[in-house]
Amino acid sequence: MTRPRTVFAALASGLVAAGTFAALTPTADAATTLGAAAAAQGRYFGTAVAAYKLSDTVYAGILDREFTSVTPENEMKWDATEPSQGTFNYTSADTIVNRAIANGQKIRGHALAWHSQQPAWAQNLSGTALRNAMVNHVTQVATHYRGKIDSWDVVNEAFADGSTGARRDSNLQRTGNDWIEVAFRTARAADPAAKLCYNDYNTDGQNAKSNAVYALVQDFKARGVPIDCVGFQSHFNAASPLPADYQANLQRFANLGVDVQITELDIEGSGTAQADSFAAVTRACLAVTRCNGITVWGIRDTDSWRASGTPLLFDGNGNPKAAYTAVLNALGGTVTPSSPPVSSPPVTSPTPSTSVPAGACSATVSVNAWTGGFVATVKVTAGTAAITGWRVAATLPGGSAVTSTWNATAAGTSGTVTFTNASYNGRLTAGGSTEFGFQGTGTAPGTTPTCTPA
Ligand code: XIL
């Protein structure tokens, strides 16, 4: 875990010495995204991704800004990857995988063997024919992605709900009780580097079902069947709330010698209650050393498989919800960006600010508004000369207020609010531009903001 504390201190002192930026906050190195904040805790923060949404710029923008792991939501399932027996189609899954690799994001593979979302041909098989088809499927798909997958959900949802602790009845189960271990051994042979997980829901607290999974892991460990992790889907709502013993349950699995991961988190609800549950899940993962990371099951509420429950961290417009702030804060991050990103320019030899002549600048604003709130994105453009810093003044209508700002520092919250460049985006070349943004309650500024070089 390396946090850029000393690097940023050097940058800050250099700039203060140059007399350009005096108002840097003491918490200047707190991470401002889920991914960066989780990374500072040695964890990933992931989301389910749908390939067909990647052309949506709001969706892709949040994905790349906030998340350090992706799980294809449907694209790696049996029906998608082997639509007819022996014919494999990786087009959509490859799109997600290649994009994630290019962006340095981890990939959770989901799912190799599952009773659901099977192609019709597999649904109609049984006995040895189905067992062989499953083994071939696991081999082919895990080999195709060999070396690219951080963790595979090798087997998904193999246990029944309720008090029996029994296996779920399925065509795969009817091929013999050993189908799970055969799937794991097959996956290990095909991709020895991937962590191999068992993944399920309603196993988030101690109950008959999670006890049965626990016994399976214990048995696999005792007999040397390869298993590296257990995924807890964590789909919560009023009927199936976050259990009080969530952390203890994660810990008892970790104590068996496997990693634990929160794999499909969504929590129906809104406001503070929803935010509190998200924060509690986050704290539980951080409290369990072997909890590798958290994946939420979609980005915006409207992307969710149960959208009516508004169970995610961003609203339908892509604006962060209270639940987002709660998770970010639980991870030790902060929503007010007051620090340069980890990838800020080298700081060892800053260009003296005096060498760049001052010039004019202009600001244009684009607004995404909804009833009671808005997000404003402001583009700051230098004139014919380079500038070394800028201030943008925006006047809000009466009753409106700025609630958060990114890539700039706001002075004031209502009336005329002045936004000063962050330490990493003040310098603009002649004609160059940068963007900052702010979220507010009420109505967005109705007039064009003014820009002053600083
Ligand atoms: C869901 C997807 O989100 C939906 O788009 C699809 O229609 C059905 O499957 N448990 C799992 C996930 O392991 O694969 C499921 O994903 C949600 C429940």
Side-chain angles (χ1 to χ4, degrees), residues 257-395:
V258 288
D259 288 346
V260 294
Q261 302 176 355
I262 295 161
T263 54
E264 303 182 14
L265 179 63
D266 55 17
I267 307 177
E268 293 188 18
S270 63
T272 308
Q274 182 182 49
D276 288 349
S277 293
F278 267 103
V281 169
T282 307
R283 286 193 301 267
C285 180
L286 292 180
V288 176
T289 306
R290 292 197 74 151
C291 181
N292 305 146
I294 299 173
T295 298
V296 289
W297 205 241
I299 296 179
R300 301 162 299 198
D301 284 336
T302 44
D303 298 319
S304 171
W305 68 309
R306 36 189 207 164
S308 63
T310 60
L312 295 172
L313 302 178
F314 294 87
D315 70 18
N317 292 317
N319 298 307
K321 297 164 55 180
Y324 169 90
T325 307
V327 170
L328 184 59
N329 290 343
L331 290 168
T334 169
V335 286
T336 306
S338 50
S339 66
V342 174
S343 59
S344 59
V347 295
T348 43
S349 56
T351 310
S353 59
T354 48
S355 68
V356 185
C361 59
S362 62
T364 54
V365 63
S366 67
V367 170
N368 185 1
W370 59 94
T371 309
F374 65 90
V375 162
T377 304
V378 183
K379 184 174 185 181
V380 181
T381 306
T384 52
I387 58 172
T388 60
W390 44 262
R391 278 200 182 84
V392 170
T395 303

Side-chain angles (χ1 to χ4, degrees), residues 73-74 77 110 114 117 156-157 233 235 264 297 305:
E73 185 171 357
N74 289 297
K77 292 172 181 175
H110 175 80
W114 187 24
Q117 291 183 263
N156 198 30
E157 302 181 349
Q233 292 185 9
H235 295 293
E264 303 182 14
W297 205 241
W305 68 309

